[in-house]
Amino acid sequence: MNLTLSHLIALLPLLIVCATVIVVMLGIAWRRHHVATATMTTIGLNAALFSLLAVLTVTPIRVSPLLLIDNYAVLYMALILIAGLASTTLAHAYLEGFDDQKEEFYMLLGCSVLGGLTMVASDHLLSLFFGLELLSVPLYGMAAYAFRTRLSLESGIKYMVLSAAASAFLLFGMALLYAESGSLAFADLGARLTEGGGHASWLLMGIGMMVIAMAFKLSLVPFHLWTADVYEGAPAPVTAFLATVSKIAVFALLMRLFMSAPVTDMASLHTTVAFIAFLSMLVGNLMALRQDNIKRLMGYSSIGHLGYLLTVVVASDDMALLTTGIYLITYVATTLATFGVIALVSSPWQGSDVSSLKFYRGLFWRRPYLAAVMTVMMLSLAGIPMTAGFIGKFYVLATGVEAQLWWLVAGVIIGSAISLYYYLRVMVMLYLHPTEEEEYDASSDWGQRAGGIMVILLALAVLILGVYPQPMIMLVSGATLG
């Protein structure tokens, strides 16, 4: 297959991110400078984001048997790059107080973004595995970046060990699928089953093992035990990145697999995924009720949210792609802003993050704008009307009702009702009068930082999309497969 100019244009985001990682690496080798490294990373990610406009002129296009660049891939590439930019912005302020090497963080982040971009364009199991590993391996180092603290090192080791186990499941599942279908391309998987040949049990086992690996990456029950510990121990900008980029990439890929691969069209598989979704909604929200650490609370909350979204995978109907796009956009905006507030309150780094809820008591009286942003995010995560989160949950419920998945619809409603308690609890804490021991303030010039502007813009976006979601709906409607 000969590469043409159209192919190179389609690959522009990946090529630009690759070049950014190389430039950052060479810059570190020549002379260490934190601001310069962060600036180069920001410029590179912005260039990759704007290059998507050029990519839209050539989509859909198959770059190779491994990669399919279509409007669907472009949408999730944009989300990944925006989340990467937000994490870079937060990391710059956060790492100012870090008493070790800072610059390698941005190289790891760039590599992980590159893995995410590869995953959302994957149309082949080989590129799926390559992208997943390129996304995950840098995250081990990022989670343990503050390795001199016990919690950070512990989070990196836990994520590495359990991620390796998930990769083993993924590879074994891929081997079983290849043994039966003779192909690794999504569209060809299950062709023998459709034609009446092959062993359905081996195909089901193979795709089931792949779903287990994806469930680990998405923190779905019962593969969720690592989530709270990793969220708590990792530095706040890393947690923001992990909670958004890895979830976007894996879920976008899962949707592509379920919508385009005939092998996934099995009743028993859909029943299993539905059961995982229902458990995730209930267990995630029930576990969050008992948390006094906001990072652990958000970790368990994410389990519930991914459970809601898994309803769309079970439905796999005409509304599925639209609902997935809308929900992920709202989830990413609210999660980035929430962890953005945590990162700004914790910046510059002073040995640990400010994650205990008691330190957020009375935040309104010390940093009113950050408290206002956190309030909007909690309302959005709870699915309160006039916020983007309400639009996302509305579409999930509409998809479930249209597919007549009544018990999953009930799970979404019950989970949302339970979550109201702990989201409102965080909001109330923000406006109570602080006591002396809660007077923790790592930095008073947050307004001078790009991170402060970023979280305010995200809060405004959440409110605007909650009132006028039509532009978001139209954007996602155009993100079609192939």
Side-chain angles (χ1 to χ4, degrees):
M1 181 177 181
N2 295 323
L3 282 177
T4 65
L5 180 60
S6 295
H7 292 128
L8 292 175
I9 291 173
L11 287 173
L12 264 179
L14 286 84
L15 295 174
I16 291 172
V17 174
C18 274
T20 302
V21 172
I22 293 170
V23 170
V24 167
M25 181 175 62
L26 293 174
I28 294 170
W30 178 53
R31 180 180 297 171
R32 289 185 176 276
H33 194 284
H34 181 216
V35 175
T37 304
T39 303
M40 283 189 291
T41 306
T42 304
I43 292 171
L45 293 177
N46 272 302
L49 182 61
F50 284 109
S51 73
L52 293 175
L53 297 174
V55 175
L56 286 172
T57 63
V58 298
T59 56
I61 183 171
R62 183 171 291 282
V63 179
S64 74
L66 304 181
L67 297 176
L68 174 63
I69 310 293
D70 50 15
N71 291 351
Y72 179 83
V74 170
L75 172 66
Y76 293 108
M77 282 182 176
L79 274 180
I80 287 170
L81 289 167
I82 289 169
L85 276 167
S87 301
T88 302
T89 304
L90 296 172
H92 173 252
Y94 184 88
L95 292 175
E96 280 296 314
F98 192 61
D99 56 355
D100 213 317
Q101 309 291 6
K102 307 166 187 172
E103 293 78 12
E104 282 82 1
F105 180 89
Y106 302 97
M107 188 170 66
L108 292 172
L109 186 143
C111 290
S112 197
V113 166
L114 184 60
L117 297 180
T118 304
M119 282 190 72
V120 297
S122 293
D123 197 40
H124 195 277
L125 291 181
L126 186 60
S127 54
L128 180 160
F129 182 72
F130 177 78
L132 185 62
E133 291 305 296
L134 188 54
L135 170 72
S136 301
V137 173
L139 276 170
Y140 308 156
M142 291 169 68
Y145 205 76
F147 62 92
R148 299 190 190 282
T149 63
R150 183 185 62 82
L151 283 177
S152 180
L153 185 60
E154 179 185 330
S155 71
I157 292 173
K158 282 184 177 179
Y159 189 66
M160 179 183 69
V161 172
L162 294 172
S163 185
S167 296
F169 274 96
L170 179 64
L171 281 172
F172 195 46
M174 287 167 55
L176 290 174
L177 287 177
Y178 181 73
E180 280 302 312
S181 67
S183 174
L184 292 175
F186 286 0
D188 296 335
L189 290 177
R192 288 184 63 188
L193 176 66
T194 306
E195 295 166 3
H199 299 87
S201 58
W202 289 110
L203 287 166
L204 182 61
M205 187 181 298
I207 198 70
M209 294 187 80
M210 288 183 61
V211 168
I212 287 173
M214 299 297 174
F216 165 81
K217 297 294 182 181
L218 293 172
S219 312
L220 296 168
V221 176
F223 313 102
H224 67 290
L225 298 177
W226 62 274
T227 310
D229 291 339
V230 173
Y231 272 49
E232 180 185 13
V238 178
T239 311
F241 186 86
L242 176 64
T244 53
V245 171
S246 67
K247 301 292 192 291
I248 298 167
V250 175
F251 207 92
L253 179 85
L254 193 64
M255 279 303 300
R256 187 188 287 275
L257 181 64
F258 268 74
M259 296 297 287
S260 61
V263 72
T264 60
D265 192 20
M266 301 179 185
S268 55
L269 180 64
H270 281 254
T271 302
T272 303
V273 173
F275 186 64
I276 291 173
F278 189 78
L279 282 180
S280 298
M281 296 176 204
L282 295 185
V283 173
N285 286 301
L286 288 172
M287 293 294 288
L289 288 174
R290 302 176 60 250
Q291 302 306 314
D292 291 319
N293 183 297
I294 193 166
K295 291 173 76 177
R296 293 182 70 87
L297 183 149
M298 288 298 297
Y300 285 118
S301 165
S302 72
I303 297 171
H305 281 281
L306 270 297
Y308 304 151
L309 196 49
L310 213 58
T311 302
V312 181
V313 176
V314 180
S316 294
D317 57 10
D318 294 336
M319 279 187 67
L321 293 179
L322 177 64
T323 303
T324 300
I326 290 172
Y327 200 93
L328 282 177
I329 288 173
T330 60
Y331 172 77
V332 167
T334 50
T335 303
L336 282 176
T338 301
F339 283 109
V341 172
I342 296 170
L344 288 169
V345 172
S346 305
S347 297
W349 187 81
Q350 293 186 347
S352 64
D353 287 345
V354 183
S355 55
S356 176
L357 272 179
K358 69 177 183 179
F359 291 120
Y360 290 84
R361 180 187 174 108
L363 183 66
F364 175 77
W365 307 104
R366 307 194 304 275
R367 300 193 192 179
Y369 296 105
L370 287 185
V373 169
M374 184 67 94
T375 301
V376 172
M377 295 309 113
M378 293 298 109
L379 291 172
S380 181
L381 288 168
I384 301 300
M386 307 291 283
T387 64
F390 171 76
I391 305 298
K393 281 191 179 171
F394 173 82
Y395 269 86
V396 167
L397 287 169
T399 302
V401 169
E402 185 173 308
Q404 297 185 347
L405 300 170
W406 303 115
W407 61 297
L408 288 181
V409 170
V412 174
I413 294 170
I414 294 169
S416 299
I418 294 171
S419 70
L420 279 173
Y421 170 78
Y422 59 83
Y423 289 135
L424 292 175
R425 178 182 169 216
V426 174
M427 287 173 52
V428 169
M429 290 287 285
L430 298 174
Y431 297 94
L432 296 176
H433 284 284
T435 61
E436 287 186 8
E437 68 177 57
E438 283 124 17
E439 287 283 2
Y440 183 99
D441 207 0
S443 175
S444 58
D445 64 336
W446 74 272
Q448 306 300 319
R449 303 181 185 280
I453 299 171
M454 182 199 74
V455 295
I456 289 178
L457 290 176
L458 285 171
L460 290 174
V462 166
L463 289 173
I464 292 170
L465 291 176
V467 176
Y468 184 57
Q470 195 60 32
M472 174 177 64
I473 297 169
M474 292 179 64
L475 177 70
V476 178
S477 297
T480 54
L481 286 169

